[in-house]
Amino acid sequence: MNPVHLQIQLRIVQARLALAVHEAVKAAGITPNMHAMLDAISRYPGIRPGALADILVTGKPNVSRTLKALEQKGLLDRRMVSEDRRAVGLYVNRMADRLMLEIEARSSAADSNCLSILDEAEAEQFCNVLGRLSADYFNLGST
């Protein structure tokens, strides 16, 4: 398969799903950027801000601004890292967990709609493949 063609196909599917997620995120009172950071932090509790910038492929000043906004909303905790008192680890809290569940519930209908052209086995296989690809991408050792 032509990699450019694959990228275009994935982008079309991603755009359809992103519209629904953006609406759910907006209804929850946060930005898509905040949502992406909360999702990454929940996957990697204790992640440091620099590593977060790396896996989200964004600049450290952007991460710093967004983390400050998340803290102001009460969705994020910073804790000192025991091995290095100068470093902080990032953690989502219960309020953030509830918010993420709310966003997931609102956007799951769009997921189902997008996958409705597939039979159950195809949908499961598709989700498993995407899960494997994204798990590899989010592997902190490869950034």
Side-chain angles (χ1 to χ4, degrees), residues 32-102:
N33 199 23
M34 289 175 168
H35 177 254
M37 286 191 192
L38 288 174
D39 183 60
I41 294 166
S42 68
R43 289 176 188 250
Y44 301 104
I47 189 171
R48 295 180 185 186
L52 181 62
D54 290 345
I55 65 169
L56 293 177
V57 192
T58 191
K60 290 179 183 175
N62 181 43
V63 167
S64 180
R65 277 189 306 274
T66 305
L67 291 175
K68 185 178 284 189
L70 288 168
E71 280 182 297
Q72 289 171 344
K73 287 185 171 285
L75 298 170
L76 177 71
D77 297 328
R78 292 181 194 243
R79 298 182 202 148
M80 274 196 272
V81 175
S82 60
E83 357 21 282
D84 181 355
R85 292 263 184 224
R86 297 168 296 159
V88 295
L90 304 170
Y91 299 85
V92 296
N93 56 32
R94 287 188 184 129
M95 188 173 161
D97 285 336
R98 284 192 300 271
L99 185 74
M100 295 296 280
L101 286 172
E102 177 187 324

Side-chain angles (χ1 to χ4, degrees), residues 3 10 16 18 27 31 46 67 69 73 80 86-87 96 107 132 139:
L10 286 172
R16 284 183 64 191
T31 66
L67 291 175
K73 287 185 171 285
M80 274 196 272
R86 297 168 296 159
S107 62
R132 286 178 50 206
N139 180 351

Side-chain angles (χ1 to χ4, degrees), residues 98-118:
R98 284 192 300 271
L99 185 74
M100 295 296 280
L101 286 172
E102 177 187 324
I103 291 168
E104 185 178 325
R106 288 181 175 175
S107 62
S108 66
D111 292 353
S112 296
N113 186 39
C114 184
L115 297 175
S116 66
I117 62 167
L118 304 175

